[in-house]
Amino acid sequence: MRHHPSVDQVKADILSVFKSITEVEAEQRQKSEAERLRRARQTIEELHEQKLLREELSNGWDLELH
């Protein structure tokens, strides 16, 4: 005779799997958000550096080399 798990055990197993999936999805969202913020910061830094370089060049910095 085969032993069949109780309905409560099946429910508990389903809830456990659902919880695991939910945790993995939350972790993936967190990593994705962190990567998006890192790229945004990098872009802001690059734009700031470009602005500073343009300001230096417009102030005659390049004329000092001649």
Side-chain angles (χ1 to χ4, degrees):
M1 178 179 215
R2 263 179 100 177
H3 175 71
H4 295 288
S6 70
V7 173
D8 288 337
Q9 182 60 47
V10 172
K11 287 180 182 178
D13 291 345
I14 290 171
L15 287 174
S16 176
V17 169
F18 179 74
K19 181 180 177 192
S20 295
I21 291 170
T22 302
E23 289 171 351
V24 168
E25 288 174 342
E27 185 179 317
Q28 288 173 340
R29 278 192 304 274
Q30 221 174 12
K31 286 180 181 179
S32 178
E33 180 66 9
E35 176 62 18
R36 186 186 70 78
L37 290 173
R38 185 196 64 77
R39 280 187 269 129
R41 280 192 303 272
Q42 183 179 13
T43 300
I44 290 168
E45 289 173 5
E46 289 171 357
L47 291 172
H48 181 69
E49 288 173 6
Q50 289 174 9
K51 178 184 174 194
L52 291 176
L53 181 58
R54 278 193 304 274
E55 288 174 357
E56 287 293 324
L57 292 174
S58 70
N59 289 333
W61 176 82
D62 60 336
L63 296 177
E64 294 176 12
L65 294 177
H66 298 285

